[in-house]
Amino acid sequence: MRILIIGLGGVSRNFRNWPERTLGQALVAAGHEVMALTYWQPDQPHLGLSARVEEIDGIIVRRVRPQLWPGYETIAALETLPRPDIAHVIHPRNVLALQAVRWLRRWGIPIVWTWLGPYHDRWLVADRERPYESSVHPERLIYSFRQLIRRGLQDGNWRDHWRNYAIHRPLRDVTAFIPCSHHEAQVLRSLGFTQPMTVIPLWLDMDFMTGPSPELALNVTPPIIPYIGQLTPRKGYDLLVAAMPAVIARYPQASFVFVTHNPAQRTELQRLAEKAGVAANLHFLGTLSEEQKLALLRASAILPFPSRYEGFGLPILEGMAVGVPVISTDIPVINELIRDGEDGLLVPYNDAAALANAILRVLDDAALRTRLIAGGQRAMRERFAPQQLVAQVLATYQLAREIEGA
């Protein structure tokens, strides 16, 4: 089968576990021809999206300028690439989708979509950083040209309504959905989508995660407790800083290591740490290579992931894969990944004290730590094995082809 993946950055040498890359990698390993159409972003070299055309893990990658309209590069790339048997679109704010889906429908090519986090949608939720504290507005989404005209005539905000339409219109032309969580499937159903849905979680490049890593090039004292993610309220970096004093009171040498490729709130991070009196224990690394991140995880005592919202939560799987106990928030999607007390710990939403207590439980209790590590690695074998999950993806592709008569 010839498969086209349409993502954002997606397939990059710089990130081993981005979902477009792991999907394509597994499909290639299963004997299929895989192409990827993704964003060209030379202005952000750390993302590794500067080459217009390259091959990664057997995936033929074509990068185009991210543009909703007129999308000439997207259309030109689609005309140049071999005609796919099926297309798999990934991400809710994929600006390539408008023109790509129109082109695919013109040729009768089945389309599946992994939305990958419905509450990343700024039109759907009032606050993307704290969606579970804000209101949800499905009535704001624009799917038809008639809705677009009516909204524009009502308030004159044509530009925003056009973007709203361009982002959401392609969803109506999807043959089948592959939600990455039951929560995502539930939201899609609540929005009125009736297409077939098969819930299939994401997975990791396990050859990389279990392969060699360099020595950790970092002079810090154990226990090492990393933060891996964007410095945004949604990721809960402030909650980890608030939990630090209680942990440091018992483990004065503890090193809290912050890794991020989005340091927008670094100043606020430092301010919070100084206010809490824990700045000496905070080590800001910024962007790390995948190899150095793997070395950091393997050297860590625990992986806190205090998110306020996740479309999925790949760092949780990364922690499980390398044998680090994971602590995260008891919110939708995450509580589908973690079975509390078995392969990780869940703490209440927005509760820094509970996060600190959970960290101390794992640091203090060797038996608990051993049980969580074993449970996490069992989960990776039984629930997140790439060969098992890609077989489910392929079955959904076949269903979509049958629906379209392909």
Side-chain angles (χ1 to χ4, degrees):
M1 196 184 309
R2 182 180 291 145
I3 302 155
L4 174 64
I5 299 170
I6 303 174
L8 304 190
V11 184
S12 163
R13 297 187 190 279
N14 293 16
F15 294 92
R16 301 299 293 255
N17 290 318
W18 277 0
E20 294 93 332
R21 180 169 175 178
T22 53
L23 171 63
Q25 182 186 65
L27 290 168
V28 169
H32 299 276
E33 182 182 346
V34 182
M35 306 170 292
L37 182 64
T38 68
Y39 289 12
W40 176 63
Q41 293 180 298
D43 56 329
Q44 300 185 60
H46 67 286
L47 298 179
L49 308 177
S50 299
R52 285 289 198 166
V53 181
E54 62 180 325
E55 182 175 334
I56 300 174
D57 294 340
I59 308 161
I60 304 303
V61 184
R62 179 73 178 266
R63 298 196 180 92
V64 298
R65 195 181 310 275
Q67 187 181 59
L68 277 171
W69 186 269
Y72 293 134
E73 289 189 14
T74 300
I75 296 169
L78 290 166
E79 293 287 352
T80 303
L81 289 167
R83 192 72 46 79
D85 298 307
I86 193 158
H88 191 155
V89 184
I90 297 178
H91 287 291
R93 291 172 292 127
N94 190 328
V95 304
L96 306 182
L98 179 66
Q99 292 289 31
V101 167
R102 290 178 63 181
W103 186 91
L104 292 163
R105 296 304 300 176
R106 188 182 313 133
W107 291 102
I109 297 168
I111 303 162
V112 301
W113 199 314
T114 298
W115 212 20
L116 201 58
Y119 292 165
H120 288 309
D121 189 323
R122 69 178 177 87
W123 290 280
L124 182 58
V125 294
D127 183 355
R128 289 176 53 218
E129 295 298 320
R130 296 176 173 84
Y132 297 122
E133 300 176 38
S134 67
S135 52
V136 180
H137 295 279
E139 75 282 357
R140 291 180 181 173
L141 307 189
I142 299 176
Y143 300 108
S144 71
F145 197 71
R146 179 176 294 180
Q147 287 177 302
L148 168 63
I149 296 299
R150 186 169 63 248
R151 299 276 185 88
L153 291 174
Q154 285 173 351
D155 60 20
N157 192 4
W158 290 100
R159 182 181 180 85
D160 189 65
H161 295 324
W162 161 251
R163 289 190 63 84
N164 183 337
Y165 166 79
I167 290 295
H168 299 110
R169 176 65 186 89
L171 291 163
R172 292 301 189 191
D173 290 323
V174 172
T175 311
F177 285 99
I178 301 182
C180 65
S181 69
H182 291 282
H183 172 69
E184 182 171 309
Q186 180 183 1
V187 173
L188 284 166
R189 291 292 187 209
S190 74
L191 295 175
F193 291 98
T194 59
Q195 295 98 318
M197 295 189 194
T198 305
V199 176
I200 306 174
L202 306 183
W203 60 85
L204 304 181
D205 179 346
M206 291 304 295
D207 288 341
F208 174 72
M209 296 305 298
T210 59
S213 63
E215 291 293 322
L216 181 62
L218 184 62
N219 184 24
V220 295
T221 54
I224 297 173
I225 302 171
Y227 171 92
I228 298 175
Q230 299 182 58
L231 290 186
T232 62
R234 174 166 46 88
K235 295 292 187 179
Y237 75 92
D238 56 309
L239 294 172
L240 184 57
V241 174
M244 286 173 64
V247 177
I248 292 167
R250 193 173 304 175
Y251 292 90
Q253 300 304 312
S255 299
F256 288 79
V257 179
F258 282 70
V259 175
T260 181
H261 65 82
N262 179 8
Q265 297 195 27
R266 182 180 178 181
T267 300
E268 177 64 7
L269 168 68
Q270 197 65 38
R271 186 191 71 79
L272 291 173
E274 290 171 358
K275 181 179 178 180
V278 296
N281 296 75
L282 189 152
H283 306 269
F284 182 85
L285 300 187
T287 301
L288 282 187
S289 70
E290 292 288 91
E291 291 75 17
Q292 278 293 317
K293 187 177 80 170
L294 182 59
L296 172 63
L297 281 170
R298 287 176 171 170
S300 297
I302 195 165
L303 177 63
F305 193 68
S307 182
R308 292 183 172 96
Y309 174 69
E310 285 298 320
F312 187 74
L314 282 171
I316 290 172
L317 300 193
E318 291 176 329
M320 290 178 175
V322 302
V324 180
V326 179
I327 297 171
S328 194
T329 317
D330 189 1
I331 55 175
V333 185
I334 289 178
N335 56 24
E336 295 182 37
L337 305 183
I338 292 178
R339 294 171 176 172
D340 187 35
E342 180 180 328
D343 45 35
L345 296 180
L346 294 172
V347 298
Y349 178 86
N350 219 32
D351 193 333
L355 176 63
N357 288 336
I359 292 172
L360 289 171
R361 278 183 64 198
V362 176
L363 292 177
D364 291 345
D365 188 339
L368 173 62
R369 174 182 171 81
T370 299
R371 184 170 78 247
L372 296 180
I373 290 173
Q377 296 191 321
R378 183 169 58 251
M380 296 304 297
R381 293 192 303 270
E382 296 178 358
R383 294 194 284 133
F384 304 106
Q387 297 85 351
Q388 169 186 316
L389 297 174
V390 81
Q392 297 177 41
V393 170
L394 287 166
T396 306
Y397 289 173
Q398 186 58 41
L399 172 63
R401 285 171 54 77
E402 291 170 2
I403 292 171
E404 296 291 346

